[in-house]
Amino acid sequence: MLLAIETSCDDTCAAVLDGPRALSNVISSQAAAHAGFGGVVPEVAARRHLELVEPVVEAALAEAGASLDDVEAVAVTAGPGLIGALLVGLSAAKAIAAARRLPLIPVDHLQGHVAANFLEPEPLDPPFLCLIASGGHTLLAAVRDREGYETLGQTLDDAAGEALDKSARLLGLGYPGGPAIQREAEGGDPEAFEMPVAMARDPGLDFSFSGLKTALAYRCRELGPEGVAARRADLAASFQAAVVAQLVAKLRRALRRGGWEAVALGGGVAANGPLRDAVARLCEEHGVRLKLVPPALCTDNAAMIGSAARFAPRIPYPDYLDYDAFASGEGPGDGRVVGARPARAH
């Protein structure tokens, strides 16, 4: 069995896996702790992880009907993410592994979102296109094997989830923003306000959401507090439609460039209903399979980290004791963190 730990942002997560089966997948959300700030406060997140990581690991083992005696290796998110939060999870994983002389498997968080598609039931085999959209990341990846992925396009500024969080704050909808925007948008008209779909004519596959966020800020300023309150649903629906339109436009462009038989969605934004519906229509149009993992595997979770760890190198004890987390990029230069490969020319 494999024990996996994920603490890259504001969710404290642990899971137990038996091959491709997740025997447990425990997620303790800190959303309430950060709601008053309108977003994640790194120091608060790290302190909460310190309090929660032990009971969350215990809960994952109990739910799986297992104990530490059954664990053969420990996997953990090494990055990217909030460095303080990552260090809590990495330190916990090292302590558990070292006490029993078990190997440690550091995992790239984004590869975890890709690898969620390898879990039962109905695992998706490479090759496939994977769109990852979350609060911290937005990228389009070519997945040709289980060990890594090739970045085809990525956000040049804000991530899609970050833009949704910030727009929710502008509209007075609270945190987390994605679900709040979707709920409010259900009663609105997505064509009520013209919102820019950035990079729509750009021939590349990169994303940009900062201009869309600025456009919403201007609309809110023009309307004033009373106008925003009266048109909140329309504003939310129009903003959400523009986010979805850009994500789908880039995915359509990638499909037209050839050869793909399947598409997968990952990241917290992948739980968005209108995005799922739009991608489903796109896949039907192109005759490709669509893999939608359950919502619990879209947001940050440890089962996806354990799934990625199955195809990653194990570091034996005591070699990992000085291993460090990384906040961004592709991790330490030792090549032992599974993750992204440089994009090829398009």
Side-chain angles (χ1 to χ4, degrees), residues 196-239:
V197 178
M199 316 275 299
R201 297 180 180 178
D202 185 276
L205 296 175
D206 289 327
F207 305 87
S208 172
F209 295 98
S210 62
L212 175 59
K213 180 189 65 180
T214 301
L216 179 64
Y218 284 149
R219 297 291 182 276
C220 291
R221 186 181 305 168
E222 293 165 1
L223 291 169
E226 293 184 0
V228 169
R231 304 293 303 278
R232 186 176 285 118
D234 289 340
L235 287 164
S238 299
F239 187 89

Side-chain angles (χ1 to χ4, degrees), residues 18 44 160:
D18 182 8
V44 173

Side-chain angles (χ1 to χ4, degrees), residues 261-274:
E261 297 182 357
V263 166
L265 298 182
V269 179
N272 178 273

Side-chain angles (χ1 to χ4, degrees), residues 56-69:
V56 166
V57 168
E58 291 176 350
L61 290 167
E63 184 177 316
S67 71
L68 287 176
D69 292 334

Side-chain angles (χ1 to χ4, degrees), residues 27-101:
I27 303 171
S28 180
S29 174
Q30 299 181 19
H34 299 278
F37 302 102
V40 178
V41 180
E43 179 64 20
V44 173
R47 290 180 180 274
R48 287 293 287 157
H49 285 311
L50 279 171
E51 299 170 1
L52 293 170
V53 67
E54 182 178 353
V56 166
V57 168
E58 291 176 350
L61 290 167
E63 184 177 316
S67 71
L68 287 176
D69 292 334
D70 301 310
V71 175
E72 299 169 341
V74 181
V76 64
T77 305
L82 302 176
I83 192 64
L86 289 164
L87 288 172
V88 173
L90 182 59
S91 297
K94 285 182 182 180
I96 294 170
R100 294 174 175 268
R101 304 302 192 262

Side-chain angles (χ1 to χ4, degrees), residues 157-169:
D157 39 60
D158 291 349
E162 180 184 2
L164 287 165
D165 285 341
K166 291 178 178 177
S167 67
R169 190 185 314 168

Side-chain angles (χ1 to χ4, degrees), residues 272-282:
N272 178 273
L275 175 61
R276 287 184 168 227
D277 293 342
V279 174
R281 291 192 296 270
L282 176 65

